[in-house]
Protein backbone atom coordinates (compact mmCIF):
# COMPACT_ATOMS: atom_id res chain seq x y z
CA UNK A 1 0.00 0.00 0.00
CA UNK A 2 1.48 3.37 -0.97
CA UNK A 3 1.26 6.55 1.11
CA UNK A 4 -1.55 7.93 -1.02
CA UNK A 5 -3.71 5.01 0.11
CA UNK A 6 -3.11 5.64 3.80
CA UNK A 7 -6.33 7.61 4.24
CA UNK A 8 -8.50 4.71 3.04
CA UNK A 9 -10.05 3.38 6.26
CA UNK A 10 -12.48 1.16 4.35
CA UNK A 11 -11.04 -0.79 1.43
CA UNK A 12 -13.86 -3.11 0.44
CA UNK A 13 -11.58 -6.18 0.43
CA UNK A 14 -13.57 -8.13 3.09
CA UNK A 15 -10.50 -8.34 5.33
CA UNK A 16 -11.23 -7.53 9.00
CA UNK A 17 -8.74 -5.18 10.62
CA UNK A 18 -8.61 -2.87 13.61
CA UNK A 19 -8.34 0.73 12.39
CA UNK A 20 -7.66 3.80 14.49
CA UNK A 21 -10.15 6.41 13.36
CA UNK A 22 -8.70 9.90 12.89
CA UNK A 23 -10.03 12.89 14.78
CA UNK A 24 -13.43 14.07 13.58
CA UNK A 25 -13.99 17.50 12.04
CA UNK A 26 -14.62 20.21 14.66
CA UNK A 27 -18.28 20.46 13.64
CA UNK A 28 -18.81 16.69 14.15
CA UNK A 29 -17.50 16.45 17.72
CA UNK A 30 -20.01 15.92 20.51
CA UNK A 31 -20.09 16.45 24.29
CA UNK A 32 -18.30 13.74 26.26
CA UNK A 33 -20.99 13.40 28.93
CA UNK A 34 -18.97 15.28 31.56
CA UNK A 35 -21.46 18.15 31.58
CA UNK A 36 -19.06 20.54 29.88
CA UNK A 37 -20.62 22.39 26.98
CA UNK A 38 -19.02 22.01 23.55
CA UNK A 39 -16.88 24.85 22.33
CA UNK A 40 -19.00 27.24 20.21
CA UNK A 41 -18.43 27.01 16.48
CA UNK A 42 -17.03 30.06 14.71
CA UNK A 43 -19.71 32.18 13.08
CA UNK A 44 -18.96 34.92 10.55
CA UNK A 45 -21.57 37.51 9.66
CA UNK A 46 -21.43 40.82 7.83
CA UNK A 47 -21.96 44.15 9.57
CA UNK A 48 -25.22 44.82 7.72
CA UNK A 49 -26.65 41.42 8.69
CA UNK A 50 -25.50 41.83 12.30
CA UNK A 51 -27.29 45.18 12.44
CA UNK A 52 -30.55 43.50 11.43
CA UNK A 53 -30.12 41.05 14.31
CA UNK A 54 -29.56 43.96 16.69
CA UNK A 55 -32.71 45.65 15.40
CA UNK A 56 -34.75 42.53 16.19
CA UNK A 57 -33.23 42.44 19.68
CA UNK A 58 -34.13 46.08 20.31
CA UNK A 59 -37.68 45.62 19.03
CA UNK A 60 -38.22 42.29 20.83
CA UNK A 61 -39.51 40.87 17.57
CA UNK A 62 -38.94 37.41 16.05
CA UNK A 63 -36.11 37.31 13.52
CA UNK A 64 -37.14 35.52 10.31
CA UNK A 65 -33.95 34.26 8.63
CA UNK A 66 -33.97 33.13 5.01
CA UNK A 67 -31.22 31.96 2.71
CA UNK A 68 -29.97 28.96 0.80
CA UNK A 69 -28.91 25.79 2.67
CA UNK A 70 -25.51 26.21 4.31
CA UNK A 71 -25.65 30.00 4.71
CA UNK A 72 -25.77 29.70 8.52
CA UNK A 73 -29.44 30.26 9.31
CA UNK A 74 -29.70 27.84 12.23
CA UNK A 75 -26.17 28.56 13.47
CA UNK A 76 -27.11 32.22 13.89
CA UNK A 77 -29.29 31.38 16.91
CA UNK A 78 -26.35 29.67 18.62
CA UNK A 79 -24.05 32.57 17.79
CA UNK A 80 -26.48 35.06 19.38
CA UNK A 81 -26.92 32.91 22.48
CA UNK A 82 -23.15 32.56 22.89
CA UNK A 83 -22.28 36.21 22.28
CA UNK A 84 -25.00 37.53 24.60
CA UNK A 85 -24.48 34.74 27.20
CA UNK A 86 -28.14 33.72 27.12
CA UNK A 87 -27.62 30.03 27.83
CA UNK A 88 -28.26 26.97 25.63
CA UNK A 89 -30.52 27.44 22.63
CA UNK A 90 -34.04 26.02 22.88
CA UNK A 91 -34.76 24.25 19.59
CA UNK A 92 -38.03 23.41 17.89
CA UNK A 93 -37.50 21.53 14.63
CA UNK A 94 -40.71 21.98 12.64
CA UNK A 95 -42.09 19.30 10.33
CA UNK A 96 -45.37 18.66 8.54
CA UNK A 97 -46.96 17.21 11.71
CA UNK A 98 -45.84 19.95 14.09
CA UNK A 99 -48.53 21.73 16.12
CA UNK A 100 -48.36 24.75 18.41
CA UNK A 101 -49.41 22.76 21.48
CA UNK A 102 -46.38 20.44 21.34
CA UNK A 103 -44.09 23.46 21.33
CA UNK A 104 -45.87 24.91 24.36
CA UNK A 105 -46.27 21.90 26.65
CA UNK A 106 -47.04 18.20 26.88
CA UNK A 107 -49.34 16.42 29.33
CA UNK A 108 -48.99 12.68 29.96
CA UNK A 109 -52.55 11.86 31.01
CA UNK A 110 -52.08 8.10 30.56
CA UNK A 111 -48.93 8.10 32.66
CA UNK A 112 -50.71 10.02 35.42
CA UNK A 113 -53.64 7.57 35.39
CA UNK A 114 -51.32 4.57 35.56
CA UNK A 115 -49.27 6.05 38.43
CA UNK A 116 -52.45 6.96 40.33
CA UNK A 117 -53.71 3.37 40.14
CA UNK A 118 -50.36 1.99 41.29
CA UNK A 119 -50.30 4.33 44.29
CA UNK A 120 -53.88 3.56 45.20
CA UNK A 121 -53.01 -0.13 45.33
CA UNK A 122 -50.18 0.67 47.74
CA UNK A 123 -52.30 3.06 49.78
CA UNK A 124 -50.04 5.98 48.87
CA UNK A 125 -51.01 9.54 48.05
CA UNK A 126 -51.87 10.40 44.46
CA UNK A 127 -49.05 11.93 42.38
CA UNK A 128 -49.11 15.65 41.70
CA UNK A 129 -50.20 16.65 38.21
CA UNK A 130 -47.05 18.74 37.70
CA UNK A 131 -44.99 15.56 37.42
CA UNK A 132 -46.81 14.77 34.18
CA UNK A 133 -46.63 18.21 32.58
CA UNK A 134 -43.51 19.31 30.75
CA UNK A 135 -43.02 22.58 28.92
CA UNK A 136 -41.94 22.44 25.28
CA UNK A 137 -39.23 24.64 23.75
CA UNK A 138 -41.58 27.58 23.10
CA UNK A 139 -43.25 27.18 26.50
CA UNK A 140 -39.86 27.14 28.19
CA UNK A 141 -38.80 30.28 26.29
CA UNK A 142 -41.84 32.09 27.73
CA UNK A 143 -41.07 31.27 31.37
CA UNK A 144 -40.58 34.62 33.19
CA UNK A 145 -36.88 35.46 33.61
CA UNK A 146 -34.72 38.53 34.04
CA UNK A 147 -32.75 37.54 30.93
CA UNK A 148 -34.45 35.95 27.92
CA UNK A 149 -33.65 32.58 26.37
CA UNK A 150 -32.94 32.04 22.68
CA UNK A 151 -35.54 29.96 20.80
CA UNK A 152 -34.73 28.49 17.38
CA UNK A 153 -37.83 27.65 15.32
CA UNK A 154 -36.12 25.69 12.57
CA UNK A 155 -37.62 25.44 9.06
CA UNK A 156 -41.05 26.88 9.82
CA UNK A 157 -41.95 26.61 6.13
CA UNK A 158 -42.09 22.82 6.53
CA UNK A 159 -45.02 23.11 8.96
CA UNK A 160 -48.74 23.27 8.38
CA UNK A 161 -49.96 26.31 6.48
CA UNK A 162 -51.85 27.56 9.57
CA UNK A 163 -48.90 27.24 11.97
CA UNK A 164 -47.55 30.80 11.46
CA UNK A 165 -50.99 32.23 12.26
CA UNK A 166 -51.20 30.00 15.35
CA UNK A 167 -47.92 31.47 16.56
CA UNK A 168 -49.09 35.07 16.14
CA UNK A 169 -51.19 35.22 19.32
CA UNK A 170 -48.45 33.69 21.47
CA UNK A 171 -45.82 36.03 20.04
CA UNK A 172 -48.04 39.07 20.50
CA UNK A 173 -49.27 38.24 24.01
CA UNK A 174 -46.10 36.61 25.30
CA UNK A 175 -48.16 34.09 27.27
CA UNK A 176 -50.19 30.91 27.02
CA UNK A 177 -52.49 28.79 29.17
CA UNK A 178 -52.22 25.17 30.26
CA UNK A 179 -55.91 24.17 30.63
CA UNK A 180 -55.09 21.05 32.67
CA UNK A 181 -53.61 23.33 35.34
CA UNK A 182 -55.97 26.31 35.09
CA UNK A 183 -58.93 24.03 35.96
CA UNK A 184 -57.43 22.96 39.28
CA UNK A 185 -59.01 24.17 42.56
CA UNK A 186 -57.65 27.24 44.37
CA UNK A 187 -55.57 25.19 46.80
CA UNK A 188 -53.61 23.88 43.79
CA UNK A 189 -53.17 27.22 42.05
CA UNK A 190 -49.38 26.86 42.02
CA UNK A 191 -47.89 23.80 40.31
CA UNK A 192 -44.24 22.98 39.64
CA UNK A 193 -43.51 21.66 36.13
CA UNK A 194 -40.34 20.68 34.31
CA UNK A 195 -38.92 22.78 31.49
CA UNK A 196 -37.65 21.58 28.12
CA UNK A 197 -34.18 20.18 27.55
CA UNK A 198 -31.74 17.75 29.09
CA UNK A 199 -30.89 20.34 31.72
CA UNK A 200 -34.53 21.15 32.43
CA UNK A 201 -35.43 22.91 35.67
CA UNK A 202 -38.55 22.98 37.79
CA UNK A 203 -40.56 26.18 37.54
CA UNK A 204 -43.78 27.27 39.21
CA UNK A 205 -46.86 27.88 37.07
CA UNK A 206 -49.62 29.93 38.71
CA UNK A 207 -53.23 29.22 37.73
CA UNK A 208 -52.09 27.46 34.61
CA UNK A 209 -50.69 30.56 32.93
CA UNK A 210 -47.13 31.07 31.70
CA UNK A 211 -46.28 34.72 30.94
CA UNK A 212 -42.84 35.96 29.93
CA UNK A 213 -41.12 38.86 31.66
CA UNK A 214 -38.65 39.44 28.81
CA UNK A 215 -39.74 38.33 25.34
CA UNK A 216 -37.41 35.54 24.19
CA UNK A 217 -34.93 35.96 21.36
CA UNK A 218 -36.80 34.07 18.63
CA UNK A 219 -34.89 33.04 15.50
CA UNK A 220 -37.12 31.51 12.80
CA UNK A 221 -35.50 29.90 9.77
CA UNK A 222 -37.08 29.28 6.39
CA UNK A 223 -35.77 27.74 3.18
CA UNK A 224 -38.33 29.69 1.18
CA UNK A 225 -40.44 26.65 0.29
CA UNK A 226 -43.62 28.72 0.66
CA UNK A 227 -44.79 32.20 1.61
CA UNK A 228 -46.00 33.23 5.06
CA UNK A 229 -49.17 35.27 5.78
CA UNK A 230 -48.73 39.07 5.63
CA UNK A 231 -49.83 39.43 9.28
CA UNK A 232 -47.04 37.09 10.34
CA UNK A 233 -44.43 38.80 8.16
CA UNK A 234 -45.42 42.20 9.54
CA UNK A 235 -44.55 41.08 13.07
CA UNK A 236 -41.13 39.72 12.18
CA UNK A 237 -37.82 41.36 11.37
CA UNK A 238 -36.55 39.70 8.21
CA UNK A 239 -32.91 38.82 7.52
CA UNK A 240 -31.83 37.34 4.18
CA UNK A 241 -28.40 35.73 4.48
CA UNK A 242 -26.40 35.95 1.23
CA UNK A 243 -24.30 33.17 -0.26
CA UNK A 244 -20.69 33.80 0.86
CA UNK A 245 -18.31 35.10 -1.81
CA UNK A 246 -14.74 33.84 -2.31
CA UNK A 247 -13.24 36.12 0.33
CA UNK A 248 -15.85 35.13 2.92
CA UNK A 249 -15.39 31.44 2.09
CA UNK A 250 -11.67 31.77 2.83
CA UNK A 251 -12.49 33.43 6.15
CA UNK A 252 -14.90 30.61 7.03
CA UNK A 253 -12.35 27.91 6.22
CA UNK A 254 -9.70 29.70 8.29
CA UNK A 255 -12.07 30.16 11.25
CA UNK A 256 -13.07 26.48 11.32
CA UNK A 257 -9.87 24.72 10.28
CA UNK A 258 -7.08 27.19 10.91
CA UNK A 259 -5.02 29.48 8.70
CA UNK A 260 -2.88 26.58 7.51
CA UNK A 261 -5.91 24.98 5.85
CA UNK A 262 -5.91 27.77 3.25
CA UNK A 263 -2.67 26.48 1.73
CA UNK A 264 -3.35 24.30 -1.27
CA UNK A 265 -7.14 24.70 -1.26
CA UNK A 266 -7.44 26.99 -4.29
CA UNK A 267 -8.47 24.17 -6.64
CA UNK A 268 -11.18 23.03 -4.22
CA UNK A 269 -12.44 26.56 -3.75
CA UNK A 270 -12.59 27.20 -7.48
CA UNK A 271 -14.32 23.87 -8.08
CA UNK A 272 -16.85 24.78 -5.41
CA UNK A 273 -17.51 28.22 -6.88
CA UNK A 274 -17.79 26.83 -10.43
CA UNK A 275 -20.30 24.19 -9.36
CA UNK A 276 -22.29 26.37 -7.01
CA UNK A 277 -25.69 27.48 -8.22
CA UNK A 278 -28.39 29.00 -6.00
CA UNK A 279 -29.38 26.40 -3.44
CA UNK A 280 -27.31 23.57 -4.95
CA UNK A 281 -24.15 23.60 -2.80
CA UNK A 282 -23.67 24.47 0.86
CA UNK A 283 -20.64 26.00 2.57
CA UNK A 284 -20.19 23.01 4.85
CA UNK A 285 -19.56 20.87 1.77
CA UNK A 286 -16.50 22.98 1.01
CA UNK A 287 -15.41 22.63 4.64
CA UNK A 288 -15.75 18.85 4.30
CA UNK A 289 -13.58 18.83 1.19
CA UNK A 290 -10.88 21.03 2.74
CA UNK A 291 -10.88 18.93 5.92
CA UNK A 292 -10.33 15.78 3.89
CA UNK A 293 -7.55 17.43 1.91
CA UNK A 294 -5.93 18.68 5.11
CA UNK A 295 -6.05 15.14 6.52
CA UNK A 296 -4.12 13.76 3.59
CA UNK A 297 -7.03 12.45 1.56
CA UNK A 298 -6.35 12.28 -2.17
CA UNK A 299 -9.19 14.50 -3.37
CA UNK A 300 -8.03 14.05 -6.95
CA UNK A 301 -9.22 10.46 -6.81
CA UNK A 302 -11.90 9.89 -9.42
CA UNK A 303 -15.41 10.41 -8.08
CA UNK A 304 -14.42 11.61 -4.60
CA UNK A 305 -14.81 15.30 -5.30
CA UNK A 306 -18.20 14.60 -6.82
CA UNK A 307 -19.20 12.69 -3.68
CA UNK A 308 -18.35 15.62 -1.42
CA UNK A 309 -19.56 18.48 -3.61
CA UNK A 310 -22.86 16.94 -4.69
CA UNK A 311 -26.01 18.83 -5.47
CA UNK A 312 -28.49 19.27 -2.64
CA UNK A 313 -31.57 19.11 -4.80
CA UNK A 314 -32.91 17.11 -7.71
CA UNK A 315 -32.82 13.40 -8.42
CA UNK A 316 -30.02 11.29 -6.97
Amino acid sequence: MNERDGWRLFRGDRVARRVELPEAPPWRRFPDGSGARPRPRPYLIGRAEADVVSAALHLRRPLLVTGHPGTGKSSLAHAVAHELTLGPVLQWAVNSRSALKEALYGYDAIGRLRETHLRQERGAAEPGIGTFVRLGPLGTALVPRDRPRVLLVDELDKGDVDLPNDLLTVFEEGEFEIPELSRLPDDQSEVSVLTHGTDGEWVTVTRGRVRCREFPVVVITSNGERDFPPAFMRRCVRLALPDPDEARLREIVSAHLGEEALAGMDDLLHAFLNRRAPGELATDQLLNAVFLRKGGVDLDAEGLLDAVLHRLGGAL
Side-chain angles (χ1 to χ4, degrees):
M1 180 181 69
N2 58 47
E3 292 184 2
R4 291 171 64 87
D5 286 333
W7 65 272
R8 289 186 167 87
L9 305 176
F10 174 75
R11 301 175 193 170
D13 57 6
R14 295 177 294 174
V15 176
R17 57 179 65 84
R18 184 176 180 86
V19 175
E20 293 298 326
L21 294 176
E23 189 175 42
W27 52 90
R28 293 299 299 165
R29 298 171 193 168
F30 301 93
D32 58 7
S34 63
R37 300 216 170 268
R39 187 176 180 181
R41 300 173 189 170
Y43 190 83
L44 302 180
I45 187 171
R47 174 61 64 85
E49 290 78 25
D51 286 346
V52 176
V53 177
S54 293
L57 293 170
H58 278 283
L59 295 171
R60 304 300 200 273
R61 287 291 187 184
L63 182 68
L64 177 59
V65 187
T66 59
H68 294 135
T71 51
K73 299 186 297 295
S74 301
S75 300
L76 177 58
H78 296 272
V80 172
H82 169 69
E83 190 168 320
L84 302 185
T85 62
L86 296 178
V89 173
L90 299 164
Q91 300 187 55
W92 179 25
V94 176
N95 57 50
S96 60
R97 299 178 301 277
S98 295
L100 177 62
K101 183 179 179 297
E102 73 179 41
L104 294 174
Y105 76 98
Y107 172 53
D108 185 5
I110 296 177
R112 184 188 181 196
L113 181 62
R114 183 185 301 113
E115 183 65 20
T116 298
H117 286 165
L118 289 174
R119 294 199 182 196
Q120 286 176 345
E121 291 176 356
R122 300 195 303 264
E126 293 186 6
I129 187 174
T131 308
F132 304 95
V133 176
R134 182 159 191 170
L135 300 181
L138 175 54
T140 299
L142 293 172
V143 168
R145 298 181 178 86
D146 293 330
R147 289 177 61 77
R149 293 288 298 273
V150 177
L151 170 68
L152 171 61
V153 182
D154 209 12
E155 299 188 335
L156 180 60
D157 51 335
K158 286 188 175 180
D160 183 83
V161 66
D162 292 325
L163 186 56
N165 283 329
D166 294 339
L167 284 168
L168 278 181
T169 300
V170 177
F171 284 163
E172 286 300 294
E173 302 297 330
E175 65 177 17
F176 69 98
E177 182 184 55
I178 303 176
E180 292 84 353
L181 302 185
S182 62
R183 293 193 293 260
L184 295 174
D186 289 343
D187 61 347
Q188 300 179 48
S189 61
E190 294 188 346
V191 179
S192 293
V193 301
L194 194 61
T195 58
H196 176 79
T198 56
D199 55 350
E201 58 180 333
W202 290 91
V203 296
T204 299
V205 176
T206 302
R207 299 195 178 279
R209 188 160 293 277
V210 178
R211 180 184 294 112
C212 70
R213 185 177 303 131
E214 281 286 339
F215 188 75
V217 178
V218 180
V219 177
I220 303 170
T221 71
S222 169
N223 289 322
E225 294 182 5
R226 62 177 175 81
D227 295 330
F228 295 123
F232 178 81
M233 296 293 293
R234 191 172 67 248
R235 290 166 171 83
C236 295
V237 175
R238 182 172 178 179
L239 171 62
L241 292 179
D243 292 326
D245 58 16
E246 180 174 344
R248 178 53 55 87
L249 287 171
R250 291 183 183 276
E251 292 176 359
I252 292 172
V253 170
S254 177
H256 283 269
L257 296 173
E259 192 78 20
E260 66 278 5
L262 296 175
M265 64 159 278
D266 285 354
D267 59 331
L268 296 179
L269 178 58
H270 294 152
F272 177 85
L273 291 171
N274 289 335
R275 296 172 182 225
R276 185 175 71 177
E280 289 193 350
L281 288 179
T283 304
D284 57 354
Q285 292 175 287
L286 175 63
L287 287 173
N288 290 337
V290 176
F291 177 80
L292 291 174
R293 168 71 62 80
K294 183 181 176 184
V297 175
D298 177 16
L299 268 178
D300 294 328
E302 184 178 354
L304 187 54
L305 191 60
D306 289 332
V308 176
L309 298 182
H310 59 83
R311 289 184 175 186
L312 299 179
L316 296 178

